């Protein structure tokens, strides 16, 4: 079984090569993230994650399995206490070259962002109603922005040459070092103008010819920018 939130029926992983997670609750105290505090039974009931985005709307047709219905929508015209409350979104993207480190280690990055950095380290839980907690970016809620993590990979390869003898041919082997072959660092995405910003990191991929302008336009259908909040995009949704 594959991960249905990240794969289509043919097993392809996210056509836009971008993943995003959004959380609506914090359940872990004393980690400097969110407002959950002890004692848990009084100070961590419906606690909020660190707010980093404006949730505009959820189009449930984007992911009927998560919503449990074939269609419908939820609209959030305000922000923070005047709208959806605190929501935290964090994502990642990778290049159109399947040989690049970002592509080959995308599974490591998805696990780091969703399970380690946010569930384990920060205690963030609970999806935005009607949407998956994590998924391909075009299945997620429409928001103003998202944080972003990139992988920086160092690989140590060992070349072994065995000369020919009277009974054997010469051979050459190239393998990853068994002890120190792969080192992966998870860092804030480096964008064109802004760091730790998924939309601007995708903009960098376009600049470096590792994604297309059309794909960036499709990403911006989910990451709509802070200018004017989500209200203009809500108007577009009903147009």
């Amino acid at each position: 079984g594959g991960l249905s939130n990240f794969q289509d029926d043919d097993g392809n992983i996210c056509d836009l090569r971008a993943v995003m997670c959004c959380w609506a609750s914090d359940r872990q105290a004393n980690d400097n993230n969110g407002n959950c505090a002890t004692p848990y039974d009084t100070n961590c009931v419906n606690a909020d994650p660190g707010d980093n985005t404006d949730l505009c709307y959820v189009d449930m047709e984007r992911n009927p399995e998560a919503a449990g219905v074939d269609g419908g929508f939820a609209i959030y015209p305000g922000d923070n206490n005047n709208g959806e409350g605190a929501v935290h979104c964090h994502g990642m993207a990778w290049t159109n070259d399947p040989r690049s480190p970002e592509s080959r280690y995308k599974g490591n990055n998805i696990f780091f962002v969703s399970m380690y950095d946010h569930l384990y380290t920060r205690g963030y839980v609970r999806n935005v109603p009607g949407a998956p907690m994590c998924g391909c970016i075009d299945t997620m809620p429409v928001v103003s922005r998202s944080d972003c993590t990139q992988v920086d990979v160092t690989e140590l390869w060992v070349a072994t040459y065995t000369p020919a003898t009277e009974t054997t041919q010469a051979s050459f082997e190239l393998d990853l070092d068994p002890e120190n072959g792969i080192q992966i660092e998870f860092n804030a995405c480096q964008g064109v103008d802004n760091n730790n910003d998924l939309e601007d990191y995708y903009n960098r991929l376009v600049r470096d010819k590792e994604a297309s302008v059309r794909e960036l336009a499709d990403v911006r259908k989910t990451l709509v920018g802070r200018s004017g909040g989500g209200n203009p995009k809500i108007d577009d949704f009903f147009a």
Side-chain angles (χ1 to χ4, degrees):
L3 299 174
S4 60
N5 281 5
F6 307 107
Q7 291 180 314
D8 61 22
D9 293 338
D10 297 324
N12 300 314
I13 299 178
C14 297
D15 291 340
L16 293 175
R17 302 182 307 283
V19 166
M20 186 172 72
C21 303
C22 292
W23 297 271
S25 288
D26 177 23
R27 70 173 187 186
Q28 182 170 282
N30 304 319
D31 59 12
N32 296 317
N33 290 285
N35 64 7
C36 173
T38 55
Y40 280 96
D41 57 349
T42 57
N43 293 329
C44 195
V45 178
N46 294 323
D48 295 327
D51 185 45
N52 72 346
T53 194
D54 177 11
L55 172 62
C56 301
Y57 65 86
V58 177
D59 179 1
M60 298 176 193
E61 286 187 359
R62 285 183 158 208
N63 194 315
E65 291 184 1
V69 294
D70 291 333
F73 54 86
I75 304 298
Y76 300 90
D79 192 16
N80 297 325
N81 292 334
N82 294 321
E84 75 276 1
V87 173
H88 186 96
C89 293
H90 198 119
M92 54 165 286
W94 58 93
T95 77
N96 55 18
D97 180 1
R99 300 166 298 180
S100 72
E102 294 92 339
S103 296
R104 290 187 289 118
Y105 295 97
K106 60 181 175 290
N108 302 71
N109 202 3
I110 291 172
F111 182 87
F112 175 85
V113 168
S114 62
M115 301 300 295
Y116 179 79
D117 189 30
H118 288 84
L119 176 61
Y120 177 78
T121 302
R122 311 188 198 196
Y124 288 178
V125 295
R126 198 160 67 85
N127 59 305
V128 173
M133 188 178 299
C134 297
C136 300
I137 195 165
D138 53 343
T139 70
M140 295 298 292
V142 174
V143 297
S144 62
R145 65 168 306 279
S146 170
D147 287 352
C148 178
T149 293
Q150 69 180 51
V151 292
D152 295 308
V153 180
T154 301
E155 295 179 338
L156 176 61
W157 291 84
V158 178
T160 305
Y161 173 73
T162 304
T165 68
E166 294 181 355
T167 58
T168 62
Q169 294 181 337
S171 64
F172 178 83
E173 295 181 357
L174 185 63
D175 300 293
L176 283 168
D177 181 83
E179 294 184 1
N180 302 300
I182 303 173
Q183 296 182 13
I184 303 176
E185 294 183 357
F186 300 92
N187 298 314
C189 288
Q190 305 298 297
V192 175
D193 299 309
N194 301 293
N195 297 333
N196 195 33
D197 186 273
L198 181 55
E199 184 271 337
D200 203 45
Y201 179 68
Y202 212 95
N203 192 28
R204 189 190 112 186
L205 295 181
V206 173
R207 182 200 66 184
D208 296 342
K209 303 186 185 307
E210 297 174 326
S212 71
V213 173
R214 180 194 61 79
E215 289 171 331
L216 176 59
D218 287 340
V219 166
R220 285 173 171 163
K221 293 177 182 178
T222 298
L223 304 174
V224 298
R226 286 197 177 279
S227 178
N231 289 346
K233 292 301 176 182
I234 292 173
D235 294 339
D236 292 344
F237 179 65
F238 284 110

